[in-house]
Amino acid sequence: MRVEIWSDIACPWCYVGKARFEKALEAFPHRDGVEVVHRSFELDPGRDKSDVEPVLAMLSKKYGMSEAQAQAGEENLGAQAAAEGLAYRTRDRDHGNTFDLHRLLHFAKEQGRQDELVQIFYRANFAEERSLFTEGDERLVELAVEAGLDADEVRTVLADPTAYADDVRADEREAAELGANGVPFFVLDRTYGVSGAQPAEVFTQALTQAWGNRSPLKLIDQPDTSADACGPDGCAVPRQG
C-alpha cells in the first residue's frame, strides 16, 4: 500500500502531522507493507527566492492579525509539537521560498533518502537557530549530506534551476486535481484522503480501512488458460508439435 503525503517544509502542521502519522504507522501491524512518498506543495509559490522575512511579520500580513496574536499562535503550535516529542522554536524563525527544497526532495527520492531529508529540513526550519533561507546553497548542501546525499551532486541540482522543477510542478498540479487546497494532505492507495494534522488515532483508522479494502487483482476472461508464462520454477519451454 502506498501513502502519499503532500506537504511543505514551511508548514508547521505538516511537521506535526508527519509525527502523528508516523506514530500510527509504527503501531500498524502491516507497516512493512506501506510505502510512504512525499509530494510537493508550496504554500507561498509566488515568493521570490530573495524575499525572506520573519514568520511573525509574514503571519501578521497574511492573516491580518497583530504580531501578539501571531506569537500566541506560535506558542500553541510549539505546545502541539512538544506533545509529539518535537522541538519547535516559537520565536525568531524566518519564512522564505521552498522551491529549491522541493527540488532536492525529488532528487533525494531517486537516491532512496527522501524521508531522511524531509525530516532534516523540518528540524532545520522549526527547531534550529540557523536559517534555511538566508545562508545560501551551502546550508542546503550541508543538510543534504547529513541525509546521506553526495555534496557535489546536490550542488549540481541546486545550480540548475530546471532540475526536478517539472516534478515539483507535477506534484502541485496533481494536488489540485485531487482537491487538496491545503497541507498536510495524505492519500492512501489513491482511494482515501486525510486532510490536516489529524490525531494519530485518525491515521490508524485510515490505514486500517485502506489496507482492509484493497481490491485483489481481477483477471479478464481468458479463453486460453494454458498460455505460456514464467514463474518461480522457471519458464515453460515451448514444445514443437
Side-chain angles (χ1 to χ4, degrees):
M1 183 170 74
R2 170 179 282 195
V3 177
E4 296 162 280
I5 307 174
W6 271 264
S7 59
D8 191 8
I9 298 301
C11 164
W13 288 117
C14 297
Y15 180 46
V16 173
K18 181 176 185 291
R20 291 174 176 171
F21 170 76
E22 288 176 345
K23 183 182 294 184
L25 183 61
E26 179 63 28
F28 187 55
H30 307 290
R31 62 183 179 277
D32 292 339
V34 178
E35 175 193 12
V36 178
V37 178
H38 296 278
R39 300 293 191 189
S40 298
F41 189 107
E42 294 173 277
L43 290 175
D44 203 353
R47 179 177 290 269
D48 189 85
K49 186 175 178 179
S50 64
D51 184 8
V52 180
E53 65 179 329
V55 166
L56 293 185
M58 180 275 293
L59 291 172
S60 296
K61 286 190 294 185
K62 186 171 184 177
Y63 298 108
M65 61 175 68
S66 68
E67 287 206 3
Q69 291 172 316
Q71 183 61 56
E74 283 292 282
E75 297 293 342
N76 175 56
L77 275 163
Q80 300 246 17
E84 304 302 330
L86 300 172
Y88 189 98
R89 296 178 68 241
T90 59
R91 297 178 183 274
D92 302 322
R93 289 193 302 105
D94 57 20
H95 177 78
N97 181 287
T98 58
F99 189 63
D100 283 347
L101 304 180
H102 286 293
R103 293 197 301 115
L104 285 179
L105 288 171
H106 277 279
F107 168 66
K109 180 177 180 290
E110 285 188 352
Q111 308 300 313
R113 311 299 295 177
Q114 188 187 49
D115 192 67
E116 290 84 353
L117 189 58
V118 166
Q119 194 58 39
I120 287 169
F121 279 164
Y122 277 142
R123 185 202 71 206
N125 189 46
F126 292 108
E128 296 182 355
E129 291 186 14
R130 295 176 63 190
S131 173
L132 269 179
F133 307 108
T134 61
E135 295 191 23
D137 288 351
E138 282 306 301
R139 172 64 168 150
L140 303 187
V141 172
E142 173 189 322
L143 294 170
V145 168
E146 184 181 340
L149 299 173
D150 180 81
D152 288 337
E153 291 180 353
V154 172
R155 291 188 183 98
T156 298
V157 172
L158 290 171
D160 178 5
T162 68
Y164 300 97
D166 288 344
D167 299 276
V168 176
R169 298 307 184 209
D171 277 358
E172 294 174 338
R173 286 194 301 272
E174 199 163 14
E177 291 167 2
L178 290 170
N181 53 17
V183 285
F185 188 71
F186 301 77
V187 176
L188 292 78
D189 254 7
R190 289 300 171 107
T191 303
Y192 298 95
V194 178
S195 180
Q198 300 288 346
E201 294 77 12
V202 173
F203 289 119
T204 296
Q205 179 183 355
L207 287 166
T208 302
Q209 186 171 348
W211 186 272
N213 289 346
R214 289 174 304 144
S215 298
L217 185 66
K218 296 180 180 179
L219 296 176
I220 62 172
D221 291 335
Q222 302 168 77
D224 183 359
T225 59
S226 61
D228 294 329
C230 294
D233 298 323
C235 297
V237 178
R239 295 184 180 181
Q240 296 182 356

